[in-house]
Amino acid sequence: MGLGINVWMFVSQLVSFLILFLVLQRWGFPILIKTLDNRAHTIQEGVENAERARKELADAQQRIEGLMLQARQEAQQTLAQAIKAGEHLRTEIEQEARDRARQIVDQAEQRIQQEVAQARIELREQVANLAILAAEHVIGTNLDTATNRRLVSEFVAQSRGL
Amino acid sequence: MKNHDDEKPKPNTNDWAPLILLGQVGFTIVFSMLVGLGIGLFIDHQFHTTPIATIIGLLLGLAAGVYGVYRLVSSLP
Amino acid sequence: MLWQLPHIGVPVDTLFYIPFGNPNGFPVSNTLIITWVTILVIFAFFFVAFRKPKLVPRGIQNLVEWTFQLLLNLCEEVAGKEDGRRFFPWVATIFMFVLLANWWEIVPGVESLGTVEPGVHGAQHLGPIYFLFGTNSNHLTAWLRPPSTDLNLTLAIAIISVVITQIYGFRKLGAFQHITKYLNYHEGVMGILVGILEFVLELARIISFSFRLFGNLFAGDVLLLVMAFLVPFAGATAFYFLELFVGFIQAFVFAMLTLVFMTLAVTSHEHPEEHDAPTSGHAAAPAHEPIPASTAA
């Protein structure tokens, strides 16, 4: 034939191709498919793992941010509280100091007055004694009786100028 | 199922199929007519009916070609 | 004249006969030798690639896996997951074999090493090796010829492709429905006519498959030889790249058409609209279920 088609050559090519196919089908393709599927599986797993890791990382980041925000807020709050407490303490101490000062001043004044009163009493007594002594001297008798002493004291008390 | 497959990013190699089918269109008509012609010539040669079977075979081949092209085109997405 | 354009005819040359089978012996052509070398190369590829498969592929394993991964994705996309995996061995074998068979045409020595024809004078020889120059340079029977330029091979693969397609259709649709594709008696005269047309189409497909591959590769082979003759040395290099590309495209087209026709064969011809969902087993299932009221309304 002009096209060179020859039964034997045709059959030999046909058989050759079929042998190639059967060998590949029996030994070649199963291992190929298995390898490809394994790879696809591994890659998918890897991608999923990476996705999960990224998600976890993002979660952790978010959590850390939340914690930091919380910490910052707490610090702020604590600081504010401390400032407030300090302020309070200051006013308290100030108040106390002021009170104390006033108290001291009051006490001092009181004592002075007491002392003044005491001095007055003593003075009065001394004046009375002096007066009685002077009167005894003048009269020459003993006037030192309870009645007289009261009379003189009253007199001295009436004379406020002393 | 189709949607599930679409989710995976893959090179869309499916684009090649219509192109190659379209390339097959010309071949289909030509070779169908050749087959029809061959069958007609064979029958005429066997039964000495030249040229009836040849003409019928040629027409049959043409019809087969047109039908084949119709089927090819209708199978395109 | 540096050399002559070689004789290259459509029929292949028989190198020798193995005394086996028929009275003349079993003819071994120069394409059959390369067919076997190609098959051994493919085996070698698989052996080297998958002797110790690694998770992270390198070198040949990477190349082989990358190629087949693309083919597998292609099969699954065109034919659906299940059928795609079923068709993949055929598609992959055809693609790989045809690709390597095509690329033989750019290998040096193919078509240029051979036996000097008897009765040629003026062959220079260096020991047992003869060189042909000038006007004698085409008196040579090549030992090696690209297998794709042999119609016997392209026809063989085309017939395998069509027959396997038929077998898949037969298995998928069942004997009865498959045969009614060709003997469609219950639709009257039109049905029978369409059956005949289907049959003519199958024959035409075999011829178109085989002649497309043969024609492209034979033309490419002749082109390379003519170019080597017209623009010797580096001038023909550009055409080598062209032929690499053509060889790839033809292998891809052959494998793709096989895949597409297999997909068409397993989709019922009575309901061509089901082609959109070529997932075997699932397409038929909803038919048994009552139609939900919502979709019926």
Side-chain angles (χ1 to χ4, degrees):
Chain A
M1 248 178 110
L3 295 173
I5 293 175
N6 170 307
V7 175
W8 285 100
M9 289 181 181
F10 171 74
V11 169
S12 59
Q13 299 281 13
L14 189 84
V15 169
S16 302
F17 184 84
L18 285 178
I19 289 173
L20 171 70
F21 174 78
L22 290 176
V23 171
L24 288 186
Q25 171 81 326
R26 176 75 184 76
W27 288 287
F29 289 130
I31 194 170
L32 171 81
I33 295 278
K34 211 176 75 186
T35 315
L36 292 183
D37 282 352
N38 276 348
R39 162 106 12 80
H41 187 70
T42 313
I43 288 174
Q44 194 171 1
E45 222 168 50
V47 168
E48 275 168 10
N49 279 348
E51 187 67 30
R52 199 178 312 133
R54 203 170 52 210
K55 216 168 161 186
E56 273 170 15
L57 188 67
D59 280 356
Q61 205 106 34
Q62 207 169 6
R63 212 162 47 229
I64 286 171
E65 245 156 52
L67 281 177
M68 272 175 72
L69 190 69
Q70 201 181 339
R72 208 172 293 136
Q73 276 174 349
E74 268 173 21
Q76 207 91 32
Q77 215 171 340
T78 311
L79 193 64
Q81 263 175 0
I83 287 173
K84 210 163 132 187
E87 198 83 21
H88 189 68
L89 200 63
R90 193 172 68 107
T91 46
E92 217 168 57
I93 289 171
E94 232 176 50
Q95 188 66 38
E96 207 173 322
R98 207 170 284 143
D99 288 354
R100 180 90 198 212
R102 184 162 300 138
Q103 207 176 344
I104 289 170
V105 170
D106 285 355
Q107 273 177 357
E109 268 175 8
Q110 218 169 353
R111 193 175 301 149
I112 288 167
Q113 270 171 1
Q114 267 176 1
E115 267 170 25
V116 167
Q118 188 74 28
R120 232 177 239 168
I121 290 165
E122 275 174 18
L123 190 60
R124 216 176 283 158
E125 275 178 5
Q126 275 180 6
V127 168
N129 286 343
L130 219 59
I132 288 166
L133 274 176
E136 272 175 359
H137 247 292
V138 172
I139 303 169
T141 53
N142 194 3
L143 290 177
D144 194 14
T145 58
T147 320
N148 289 345
R149 187 167 294 270
R150 190 174 44 86
L151 284 172
V152 173
S153 281
E154 277 172 9
F155 168 74
V156 172
Q158 278 165 359
S159 49
R160 296 185 70 92
L162 238 135
Chain B
M1 178 141 190
K2 196 117 188 161
N3 293 334
H4 182 69
D5 285 347
D6 287 348
E7 282 169 14
K8 289 176 195 160
K10 265 194 246 173
N12 197 1
T13 35
N14 213 348
D15 293 344
W16 287 94
L19 216 62
I20 287 171
L21 281 178
L22 282 179
Q24 182 72 5
V25 164
F27 279 83
T28 302
I29 291 189
V30 171
F31 285 104
S32 297
M33 288 186 72
L34 282 180
V35 168
L37 183 66
I39 293 173
L41 282 174
F42 177 77
I43 291 173
D44 273 345
H45 186 76
Q46 292 296 109
F47 302 103
H48 306 287
T49 51
T50 316
I52 299 161
T54 308
I55 292 170
I56 293 174
L58 205 55
L59 290 175
L60 200 69
L62 181 63
V66 172
Y67 175 66
V69 168
Y70 163 74
R71 274 235 330 249
L72 272 181
V73 172
S74 64
S75 75
L76 289 176
Chain C
M1 184 74 50
L2 200 54
W3 50 64
Q4 287 282 329
L5 193 60
H7 291 304
I8 173 163
V10 173
V12 294
D13 298 307
T14 303
L15 295 180
F16 54 87
Y17 290 88
I18 298 173
F20 163 80
N22 68 356
N24 293 330
F26 184 82
V28 174
S29 60
N30 44 13
T31 54
L32 185 61
I33 290 178
I34 298 207
T35 297
W36 270 100
V37 175
T38 308
I39 290 172
L40 292 179
V41 166
I42 294 175
F43 288 166
F45 263 120
F46 265 83
F47 184 73
V48 172
F50 295 112
R51 193 182 28 169
K52 290 181 210 145
K54 296 181 191 70
L55 190 61
V56 179
R58 294 173 58 99
I60 287 182
Q61 191 194 346
N62 199 0
L63 180 74
V64 173
E65 279 194 17
W66 180 74
T67 312
F68 284 113
Q69 183 75 67
L70 287 182
L71 281 175
L72 187 62
N73 288 348
L74 195 70
C75 288
E76 288 183 355
E77 268 177 48
V78 171
K81 187 108 181 153
E82 199 177 318
D83 283 337
R85 296 225 154 193
R86 201 170 294 145
F87 301 157
F88 170 73
W90 289 107
V91 175
T93 310
I94 288 175
F95 176 74
M96 196 163 188
F97 179 75
V98 174
L99 181 71
L100 293 183
N102 290 352
W103 280 354
W104 275 107
E105 62 177 359
I106 62 160
V107 174
V110 175
E111 303 269 28
S112 58
L113 291 176
T115 314
V116 177
E117 287 169 3
V120 173
H121 303 291
Q124 320 262 320
H125 67 95
L126 190 73
I129 303 166
Y130 283 81
F131 296 92
L132 294 173
F133 293 105
T135 50
N136 280 328
S137 64
N138 56 358
H139 294 287
L140 183 81
T141 304
W143 288 335
L144 306 171
R145 176 168 162 172
S148 308
T149 63
D150 181 357
L151 258 177
N152 293 302
L153 174 75
T154 58
L155 195 62
I157 304 179
I159 286 177
I160 288 173
S161 165
V162 170
V163 168
I164 298 300
T165 302
Q166 292 298 310
I167 290 175
Y168 276 128
F170 200 84
R171 263 204 219 149
K172 181 64 196 298
L173 305 177
F176 181 74
Q177 203 192 349
H178 191 76
I179 286 172
T180 56
K181 188 172 171 182
Y182 301 103
L183 278 175
N184 202 342
Y185 53 86
H186 52 239
E187 280 175 31
V189 182
M190 265 313 282
I192 290 171
L193 188 64
V194 167
I196 294 171
L197 295 188
E198 289 274 0
F199 183 73
V200 171
L201 275 175
E202 297 293 338
L203 284 181
R205 194 193 301 162
I206 292 177
I207 298 177
S208 78
F209 272 32
S210 51
F211 273 85
R212 185 212 319 269
L213 183 59
F214 167 78
N216 272 284
L217 271 292
F218 186 75
D221 204 33
V222 172
L223 174 74
L224 287 186
L225 291 171
V226 170
M227 283 303 151
F229 170 70
L230 291 177
V231 274
F233 307 116
T237 313
F239 294 94
Y240 280 72
F241 288 109
L242 175 71
E243 284 311 307
L244 272 178
F245 180 67
V246 169
F248 169 77
I249 289 294
Q250 288 309 316
F252 186 67
V253 165
F254 207 114
M256 238 349 244
L257 281 174
T258 302
L259 173 62
V260 169
F261 281 118
M262 280 178 175
T263 310
L264 291 180
V266 296
T267 35
S268 170
H269 60 280
E270 286 178 359
H271 307 284
E273 68 272 17
E274 278 181 16
H275 174 240
D276 289 337
T279 50
S280 76
H282 303 296
H288 302 297
E289 292 167 10
I291 299 166
S294 57
T295 53

